[in-house]
Every structure is written in C-alpha cells, then in structure tokens.
Amino acid sequence: MNAYVNPTRIISIRASSLGDLFDCPARWEAKNLLNKRNPDGARTRLGTAIHEAVTQWDHLNLIGEEVSLEECEEILHHQIWQPNEEVDWSDLNQNDAESIGQSLMHKYITHIVPTQKFIGVEVRCESLILADLGIELTGTIDRIYENEDGELGISDIKTGKAAVGSDGVVKTVGHAPQMGIYTVLAAHALQEPVTAPARIYGLTTGKTDKGQHVGIGEIESPAEVLLGTEEDPGLLHHAAKIIKHGTFYGNSKSMLCNEKFCPAYATCKFRK
C-alpha cells in the first residue's frame, strides 16, 4: 500500500508547487514529499535575487520608510554572489546575472510600481486546512493590491526567458493554480473578499536591454478554477486525488523533464 494513501492524513501543498504537481506528479513527489533537491539553476537564482531586491523597495515604501536604489542593488548583489545554497552557473555567469538583475529591478520600479497600490507585501498566511480534501494550503503572497474600484487582488512576480513577449503580452498560462491558492489564502487572512483579477508582473531575463521586457498580465477568477463546483470539481479536487491515491505518474514531455530540474530524473521509470 502506498504510504500516502491514508484517508485521515493531511498533506501540505505550497501554492508555488501546485503547477508542478499538475505538470509532473513524479517530480512534485520527489521535491515535496521525498525532499530531494537539485542545485538552483542560474536563472532561478537570478529570479530570487530580483525578487528580494524589489521586495525591499515595495516593503519600505509601504510602511513609509525611505529606500534607495543603492540599497536594493546591494541586496541583489549579495543574492547573486553569496547565495545561501548551491547554484549551477553553467548557463549564465554571475556578472551577466547581476547586470540583468539590476536592469530588470529598475524597470520594475519605474514601470510597474507606479501603477499599483499595494496594501500588502510578502504576506505570510496562516495555513488553511481543507479536511474534506485531505490537504493543507500554505504560502506567502507576493503582493496584495487594491484596484481603482476598491477591490482587493493578489499579484506575483514572475521572471524567465519567456515571461513577457516582445509584444508586451505577459505569459499567464499555467499560473492559475498558484494564483488561485494565493487568492483563497488572502481571503482567509484578510477575512474579506478578494475579487479583483490576479496579476502577474512579468520580467523577461534577456541578456540585452532589447530582450528585457516587463509587463502586467491578469487572470480572472483563479479561485473559481481552483475550487470548482459540485457539478464541476476544481483543480484542488484533482490534486487531492493524485495525492490521496499516491498516483505520482511522470510526464516525459514536460519542459522540465531534465536532470537540471528534476531530482528524480536519473531513476524515473516514466521517461524510459
């Protein structure tokens, strides 16, 4: 009998991992239940560095304290050159990573921040247990914003080679499960409706200024996709089935089916 097939056991799901579960359950199991790890890739570390730097800017502005670009640049530099974990720099060296990170940090602060009204930055939410599904939702919400109509919504920073197209369109496909969990957690934490569209702040990590695009994309009603209805169960119901029954099948066609990204790659029977 699979160790995870236990009707009384509650399995914790981080919001940031839900997309991984649907993309390749075998990879999700290796990382989230078996605690297997790969070294961070260079672009993952770059994304973390940018995230930490702009969070400093947004947080201090939110609480009314002064913040300088130099302070944020120093945080980015530290994250690139003194990471607290192993990083594989084979496809992007640290000098280039820092240059890209500084450019995108400035673009985020200049082009995105002035258009947003943040009411929460890096909001750590209490876990939410859905006993009927046997799962516990956890996560830290990047940003909670208020739109021009006074509605609250959640937003998340996404970096990557294809985060934003050259036409300025932000890639939102595949992010609905994570945004849905953040929306549910935000409503639980704030004890009020979170009804505005979820926003993705996309930052494309091109090596030159011409290839570095930033933009904002929106996902309407991500919580509905997550929760569903009695007639049409949502994504959480499907996630619960995979976990409860321990059906962690692999997906050899996943874009992340690679030894750099999957700690189960070497022993995975699904890619043979």
Side-chain angles (χ1 to χ4, degrees):
M1 182 177 181
N2 191 293
Y4 308 116
V5 182
N6 183 338
T8 64
R9 186 180 181 190
I10 302 293
I11 299 292
S12 180
I13 297 180
R14 290 180 296 106
S16 58
S17 80
L18 192 58
D20 222 19
L21 176 62
F22 291 122
D23 183 51
C24 180
R27 186 173 66 248
W28 185 91
E29 179 198 24
K31 293 167 65 176
N32 295 276
L33 297 182
L34 303 179
N35 295 314
K36 296 182 178 180
R37 291 289 181 270
N38 288 89
D40 266 356
R43 292 188 183 276
T44 298
R45 171 47 51 178
L46 171 58
T48 299
I50 295 170
H51 189 279
E52 293 296 321
V54 300
T55 291
Q56 179 78 349
W57 180 273
D58 288 339
H59 173 68
L60 290 183
N61 274 304
L62 180 64
I63 63 177
E65 293 189 9
E66 289 188 10
V67 59
S68 67
L69 280 173
E70 291 77 13
E71 183 179 344
C72 297
E73 287 172 350
E74 181 59 31
I75 290 173
L76 187 137
H77 176 84
H78 180 82
Q79 288 287 329
I80 295 291
W81 292 95
Q82 296 177 291
N84 56 6
E85 54 197 13
E86 185 182 357
V87 179
D88 177 4
W89 294 104
S90 61
D91 64 340
L92 182 69
N93 66 56
Q94 287 162 285
N95 285 313
D96 286 343
E98 183 171 11
S99 176
I100 294 168
Q102 285 190 2
S103 177
L104 288 174
M105 180 187 71
H106 288 208
K107 290 178 188 297
Y108 171 85
I109 290 171
T110 302
H111 299 299
I112 292 181
V113 172
T115 70
Q116 305 299 295
K117 180 182 178 181
F118 296 132
I119 67 163
V121 175
E122 286 294 300
V123 180
R124 295 191 178 188
C125 298
E126 290 185 14
S127 63
L128 177 61
I129 295 177
L130 304 177
D132 57 328
L133 294 179
I135 57 180
E136 174 186 26
L137 303 180
T138 66
T140 299
I141 303 168
D142 265 13
R143 308 289 186 269
I144 300 177
Y145 77 92
E146 182 180 312
N147 68 12
E148 58 276 7
D149 297 319
E151 300 170 321
L152 300 181
I154 60 95
S155 50
D156 200 66
I157 299 167
K158 299 293 185 187
T159 64
K161 289 182 177 180
V164 186
S166 58
D167 56 0
V169 176
V170 176
K171 178 185 175 183
T172 60
V173 174
H175 295 314
Q178 180 184 4
M179 296 298 101
I181 288 186
Y182 284 151
T183 300
V184 171
L185 287 174
H188 177 61
L190 299 171
Q191 292 297 297
E192 58 181 295
V194 177
T195 56
R199 288 178 176 170
I200 300 292
Y201 305 136
L203 311 174
T204 302
T205 55
K207 286 190 175 183
T208 65
D209 184 71
K210 185 178 180 180
Q212 295 166 1
H213 311 292
V214 301
I216 302 173
E218 294 192 338
I219 301 173
E220 293 284 350
S221 307
E224 291 182 12
V225 175
L226 195 73
L227 299 173
T229 64
E230 289 188 10
E231 296 77 23
D232 185 20
L235 294 178
L236 277 184
H237 291 78
H238 296 293
K241 283 184 178 180
I242 293 171
I243 293 170
K244 278 186 175 181
H245 297 290
T247 52
F248 298 109
Y249 54 88
N251 175 17
S252 61
K253 294 185 178 180
S254 166
M255 294 291 289
L256 300 180
C257 187
N258 185 290
E259 60 185 351
K260 285 188 175 183
F261 306 115
C262 179
Y265 183 85
T267 57
C268 180
K269 63 184 179 183
F270 295 99
R271 66 179 184 85
K272 297 186 184 297

